[in-house]
Amino acid sequence: MESLCFHDGNITDLINKRSLHVRHDSGHGLQMHSSLVERMALERELEGHQGCVNAIAWNSKGSLLISGSDDTRMNIWSYSSCKLLHSIETGHTANIFCTKFVPETSDELVVSGAGDAEVRLFHLSHLKGRGAEDGALTPSALFQCHTRRVKKIAVEVGNPHVVWSASEDGTVRQHDLREGASCPPAGSSRQECRNILLDLRCGAKKSLTDPPKQLFALKSCDISSTRPHLLLVGGSDAFARLYDRRMLPPLSSSQKKLPPPPCVSYFCPMHLSDRGRSSLHLTHVAFSPNGEEVLLSYSGEHVYLMDVNPAHGGSMPYTSGDASNLMNFAPLLNGIELQSSVSGIFVNSSSSKRIPATKQLEKCKKLIQMAMKSLKEDSNFYYGIEACNEVLDGCRDDVGPLLTFECLCTRAAILLKRKWKNDAHMAIRDCHRARKLNSSSFRPLLLIADALSQLGKHKEALEFAIGAQSLAPSDSEVALKVESIKDHITAGMLIHIHALMRTNNIPGFTAEADKANKANGGESRSDPRAGRVLSLSDILYRSDANSDASQDGPRSERDDSDDDEELELAFETSISGDEGRDVDLDVLHGSLNLRIHRRGDSTGETGRANGASGSPTSSQKEKAAYKPEVVIDMKQRYIGHCNVGTDIKQASFLGERGEYIACGSDDGRWFIWEKQTGRLIKMLHGDEAVVNCVQCHPYDCVVATSGIDSTIKIWTPSASVPSLVAGGAAGPETSNVLDAMESNQRRLCRTREAVLPFEFLERFRMHEFTEGSLHPFECTQS
């Protein structure tokens, strides 16, 4: 994989174009060229804070850097000399989470937001003549209208009069600096401030199908630099929201909670849209430099890229029905006939700048061979996947359906062997794409069955396996897969039934059922009315006619066994014959009525038991009336880091063109990926504990990072040789990239949800603690 070229080309070619073509703008391409990124190394550490550095930002010219810390100070640094110019005592009584230079003010105005729920404005001209450490400064404006921590501040390019703040109280507030302060005088009610631009206090959604009605804590916001009327927000659920400020209602107060206004677009990877997990939330959202893409960073998850306008990019809009259809077998697809000739491999033959077809074809063939080798040898899964990424993402404009189909199936198979977080979901996506290219092949169906089995959706997996068997009835691998899934369903259901019978003190059945099931290979078809043992396979596969049991057997309501759902089995028994006679404790006579449903989904059963005749309840009517939104899906994912411990971890575009993606990690490293293919290009050790902030210089190939350490690191392409890994002051060079990534994957799967739910953590952070008593907790969980 080291021999693969990156898609920004050769730096020599860019320099030649600049000298030969006067109008050719190569500056943007040279800022973050791959040859420079590969030489990134630590140049300097900026010392001046006494606590975690939670926020860093460059001014528009790149001449100054501002930082905010747990020590409640804002520091202003010189880029050219890397010296501390001013250290401002802000007067905040809690950790500073966000700082910004106000545009078009000659870098005289700076603004800060903190855990004390305040936004403060400072005029740097008041510091003239003072030393760097003599920084006690009275704010020019003080906004105290938020009720919870302020996590992000946004500014508009070219607008010196207004700033926006996003808070965990669920509101985005608009502060007009010309008013000095929008808050009422001291002693008045806080609830009178009429500066709420966006009220999302009742705007969180547990899943795509649920209406927005949950408590929503905002974690991040951003304003597009190219279309400043567009506002992007993210917080305590899985959905980022895009709003047009021109379409929002007038500014309001917080005296009454209003329903969330409609947004322009929702953004969420499809596999996260219906998980219903309380701890899954966004820590950072950002627009690309050209405003055409958005980047989302999730807690306990990966980083994802989406298109603002799906019609112009690789993202696709979807609905709740599309999300459920991925898990359900559809026998017919409008497939595209595969081309067997070389001419069918390349579809854009009119492109004059395209690599010649034969050369591109040989390159793609070699990459597929590399991927197949990793699959066959059960090794180097990461590099096998990257080889497929290069074909599917790096060469997607040139590669035709035949090679695309082969590559999709290969990548899906490797993903299912690697088993990193969400790899099974990614494999399902690949297989559905492959089915559209060739609906007559059983390979995608068999791989989807494997993926669903990994996700615990064995019933759906069986449907796909049977579908594969219908396409390849004589294939032994497919037949074994069908039987394996049946056995797995049988074993899993027996475990649940045995546990429930033990809990309810129902005698017999378990030992006899085990004995009968083993003796009959899980395929016993006993008749309970004859007093014989009821086998679980009777329930799952029995047919009233003499047709195939696996296809015609009765089906219960959905019994998905996803990560966040549990099965609940309800059963009734009746003993046939004389009630007074002795009952054989080893055999359960009579009948067993089994009902399978999701935990907590008992409304229908309760209603029928109470004689409600199936009439819908008010909650059912509300759910039926709600129409889920259309959501924009991901087009690329970036993996390798770990984002579990902090709620301010950023994901950023690097360079004026945003060709690279960077994000910090809980292991003290920060990562750089190629945006187009998701390929890791650089991993650097930047902190003793956690890297939270990554900010690229506006014009130079320079990156500033910060985190739990009290210092800020400045990174430049100063290494003598290019490499995938580089060390920093926090530790020696890491020799094994995969070990670090796999360790992060293990940590990523151990999220905080297993210990404390998100809502409890929010209450724990915000209430009933005196200032200064929980600095370590705030530092690691912010």
Side-chain angles (χ1 to χ4, degrees):
M1 294 302 298
E2 291 289 344
S3 61
L4 283 179
C5 297
F6 290 95
H7 293 273
D8 52 9
N10 190 300
I11 194 170
T12 305
D13 294 336
L14 291 177
I15 295 174
N16 289 337
K17 287 180 181 179
R18 183 176 61 177
S19 59
L20 295 175
H21 305 283
V22 178
R23 294 185 179 181
H24 180 76
D25 183 13
S26 60
H28 296 324
L30 287 173
Q31 180 192 359
M32 277 292 167
H33 194 272
S34 58
S35 60
L36 300 178
V37 175
E38 287 183 301
R39 294 177 181 268
M40 276 285 182
L42 181 67
E43 181 176 287
R44 188 169 300 189
E45 292 190 47
L46 307 182
E47 299 180 356
H49 282 294
Q50 303 300 317
C52 310
V53 182
N54 304 314
I56 51 177
W58 298 96
N59 66 344
S60 59
K61 298 179 181 178
S63 58
L64 298 173
L65 179 71
I66 188 171
S67 59
S69 169
D70 284 0
D71 60 12
T72 71
R73 301 180 74 95
M74 276 196 308
N75 287 351
I76 311 295
W77 311 83
S78 168
Y79 169 57
S80 58
S81 64
C82 291
K83 291 184 178 179
L84 179 63
L85 302 180
H86 304 291
S87 185
I88 303 171
E89 294 180 9
T90 61
H92 282 295
T93 58
N95 311 349
I96 295 176
F97 290 119
C98 43
T99 58
K100 288 282 187 180
F101 288 96
V102 180
E104 306 300 329
T105 62
S106 300
D107 301 321
E108 289 294 325
L109 291 182
V110 295
V111 62
S112 63
D116 56 9
E118 295 182 353
V119 176
R120 294 180 171 231
L121 178 73
F122 298 91
H123 209 299
L124 296 184
S125 62
H126 297 165
L127 292 174
K128 289 182 178 178
R130 303 187 188 183
E133 298 298 329
D134 187 14
L137 190 61
T138 302
S140 302
L142 174 61
F143 304 94
Q144 298 177 305
C145 37
H146 282 297
T147 58
R148 286 193 174 189
R149 300 189 299 180
V150 178
K151 298 304 287 286
K152 192 66 65 175
I153 287 175
V155 296
E156 177 184 343
V157 174
N159 186 348
H161 305 302
V162 182
V163 299
W164 293 265
S165 57
S167 167
E168 290 176 337
D169 63 13
T171 65
V172 175
R173 294 183 181 257
Q174 180 173 296
H175 310 285
D176 194 326
L177 307 182
R178 292 166 294 188
E179 298 178 358
S182 62
C183 299
S188 301
S189 171
R190 283 187 175 183
Q191 307 304 316
E192 296 176 3
C193 300
R194 299 189 62 84
N195 62 359
I196 295 181
L197 175 69
L198 193 57
D199 189 345
L200 295 174
R201 287 174 291 176
C202 298
K205 294 161 58 71
K206 287 186 176 181
S207 68
L208 179 57
T209 56
D210 290 331
K213 59 182 179 180
Q214 311 295 325
L215 175 66
F216 193 63
L218 284 165
K219 301 292 182 181
S220 183
C221 67
D222 194 22
I223 289 178
S224 173
S225 59
T226 57
R227 289 172 288 179
H229 55 276
L230 294 181
L231 171 67
L232 182 68
V233 299
S236 56
D237 65 13
F239 303 92
R241 296 151 171 86
L242 180 67
Y243 291 92
D244 189 330
R245 290 191 285 119
R246 302 169 300 181
M247 300 170 62
L248 293 175
L251 298 179
S252 63
S253 68
S254 58
Q255 291 182 346
K256 181 179 180 181
K257 287 186 179 181
L258 301 174
C263 63
V264 176
S265 298
Y266 277 84
F267 301 94
C268 181
M270 189 184 296
H271 60 279
L272 302 181
S273 62
D274 282 315
R275 301 291 288 276
R277 295 173 56 180
S278 59
S279 68
L280 181 64
H281 63 280
L282 288 156
T283 63
H284 191 73
V285 297
F287 281 103
S288 63
N290 64 3
E292 298 298 328
E293 298 169 316
V294 296
L295 197 63
L296 311 184
S297 177
Y298 283 91
S299 177
E301 261 291 337
H302 308 298
V303 174
Y304 296 93
L305 181 72
M306 283 91 164
D307 287 306
V308 172
N309 187 347
H312 298 162
S315 300
M316 293 295 293
Y318 67 92
T319 65
S320 57
D322 297 323
S324 61
N325 287 341
L326 280 180
M327 306 296 178
N328 296 315
F329 174 69
L332 297 177
L333 281 175
N334 294 323
I336 301 173
E337 289 295 329
L338 291 180
Q339 303 289 333
S340 58
S341 62
V342 175
S343 61
I345 301 294
F346 300 96
V347 294
N348 295 333
S349 57
S350 61
S351 176
S352 59
K353 296 182 180 180
R354 184 174 50 82
I355 299 175
T358 54
K359 185 177 180 180
Q360 189 79 314
L361 179 60
E362 289 302 318
K363 172 187 174 182
C364 292
K365 283 183 176 180
K366 289 181 180 179
L367 291 171
I368 292 293
Q369 289 173 359
M370 292 172 56
M372 288 181 171
K373 182 180 179 181
S374 70
L375 179 63
K376 183 179 180 180
E377 297 178 352
D378 287 339
S379 63
N380 298 321
F381 292 147
Y382 179 79
Y383 295 108
I385 292 169
E386 287 206 334
C388 294
N389 293 347
E390 179 67 20
V391 176
L392 296 170
D393 298 317
C395 308
R396 59 174 173 243
D397 295 332
D398 298 311
V399 178
L402 179 63
L403 199 56
T404 300
F405 175 84
E406 186 65 36
C407 198
L408 285 168
C409 291
T410 302
R411 184 168 70 176
I414 301 175
L415 286 166
L416 293 176
K417 284 196 172 184
R418 186 176 68 172
K419 297 181 181 179
W420 285 8
K421 188 161 191 174
N422 287 333
D423 277 355
H425 288 285
M426 298 299 106
I428 292 173
R429 295 168 65 99
D430 282 351
C431 292
H432 278 288
R433 287 178 58 189
R435 287 193 71 198
K436 292 179 181 179
L437 296 175
N438 183 5
S439 58
S440 62
S441 174
F442 71 90
R443 288 178 60 195
L445 296 177
L446 201 61
L447 290 168
I448 293 176
D450 275 334
L452 291 171
S453 294
Q454 287 189 17
L455 295 173
K457 296 181 178 292
H458 302 291
K459 177 182 173 182
E460 290 85 350
L462 181 61
E463 294 176 350
F464 280 95
I466 293 172
Q469 191 174 41
S470 67
L471 295 175
S474 60
D475 191 284
S476 59
E477 180 186 1
V478 178
L480 287 174
K481 175 58 65 177
V482 171
E483 294 304 316
S484 173
I485 296 175
K486 286 183 178 180
D487 292 343
H488 200 104
I489 293 175
T490 301
M493 296 298 292
L494 278 174
I495 292 173
H496 284 287
I497 291 177
H498 294 174
L500 285 168
M501 285 193 156
R502 283 193 296 269
T503 302
N504 291 273
N505 296 320
I506 296 178
F509 185 81
T510 56
E512 192 66 26
D514 277 338
K515 184 189 299 183
N517 193 59
K518 292 178 181 178
N520 292 283
E523 298 292 337
S524 175
R525 296 180 178 274
S526 303
D527 184 1
R529 288 173 297 182
R532 297 161 61 188
V533 177
L534 178 64
S535 169
L536 180 64
S537 56
D538 284 329
I539 302 169
L540 296 177
Y541 307 122
R542 185 180 59 191
S543 172
D544 293 335
N546 293 326
S547 58
D548 185 276
S550 60
Q551 295 187 36
D552 300 330
R555 297 182 183 275
S556 64
E557 296 180 2
R558 288 180 57 87
D559 57 347
D560 299 342
S561 168
D562 201 356
D563 301 339
D564 314 303
E565 300 172 333
E566 295 182 22
L567 290 178
E568 205 170 274
L569 305 181
F571 52 87
E572 300 170 356
T573 61
S574 62
I575 306 300
S576 60
D578 186 1
E579 296 290 343
R581 68 189 176 110
D582 294 335
V583 179
D584 186 355
L585 298 180
D586 293 328
V587 180
L588 181 65
H589 298 271
S591 62
L592 174 67
N593 297 322
L594 179 66
R595 298 192 305 276
I596 307 171
H597 53 85
R598 292 176 181 173
R599 184 174 298 279
D601 187 20
S602 57
T603 306
E605 294 294 332
T606 305
R608 284 188 290 272
N610 295 331
S613 301
S615 60
T617 63
S618 59
S619 62
Q620 288 174 325
K621 290 179 180 178
E622 179 184 355
K623 188 173 183 180
Y626 174 69
K627 184 179 180 180
E629 296 84 357
V630 175
V631 186
I632 297 177
D633 196 10
M634 57 164 280
K635 71 174 183 179
Q636 190 58 268
R637 134 182 117 139
Y638 308 95
I639 61 174
H641 72 298
C642 179
N643 179 9
V644 174
T646 61
D647 278 346
I648 57 174
K649 194 169 277 88
Q650 298 176 352
S652 305
F653 292 91
L654 300 187
E656 291 184 82
R657 290 180 176 175
E659 302 98 329
Y660 295 96
I661 304 297
C663 185
S665 177
D666 289 348
D667 62 351
R669 299 178 177 91
W670 64 286
F671 294 73
I672 305 177
W673 300 273
E674 188 181 32
K675 183 183 75 172
Q676 183 174 346
T677 64
R679 193 197 325 171
L680 182 67
I681 184 174
K682 196 73 173 178
M683 183 178 74
L684 302 110
H685 203 151
D687 198 281
E688 287 286 355
V690 177
V691 176
N692 281 323
C693 305
V694 180
Q695 289 294 307
C696 183
H697 190 274
Y699 306 113
D700 292 345
C701 186
V702 175
V703 178
T705 65
S706 68
I708 301 301
D709 288 353
S710 59
T711 60
I712 301 167
K713 278 81 173 180
I714 303 297
W715 307 84
T716 61
S718 55
S720 57
V721 293
S723 66
L724 181 63
V725 184
E733 181 170 337
T734 303
S735 59
N736 196 324
V737 177
L738 289 180
D739 283 348
M741 298 176 73
E742 289 172 354
S743 175
N744 281 335
Q745 286 298 304
R746 290 191 294 270
R747 295 180 65 185
L748 200 61
C749 294
R750 298 193 296 267
T751 62
R752 284 180 287 169
E753 185 182 19
V755 182
L756 292 174
F758 175 80
E759 289 82 359
F760 179 78
L761 287 172
E762 287 297 302
R763 298 188 186 100
F764 184 69
R765 293 190 195 114
M766 292 305 304
H767 300 288
E768 301 177 0
F769 294 100
T770 58
E771 176 58 32
S773 63
L774 282 175
H775 274 287
F777 178 80
E778 288 286 351
C779 195
T780 58
Q781 297 291 337
S782 60

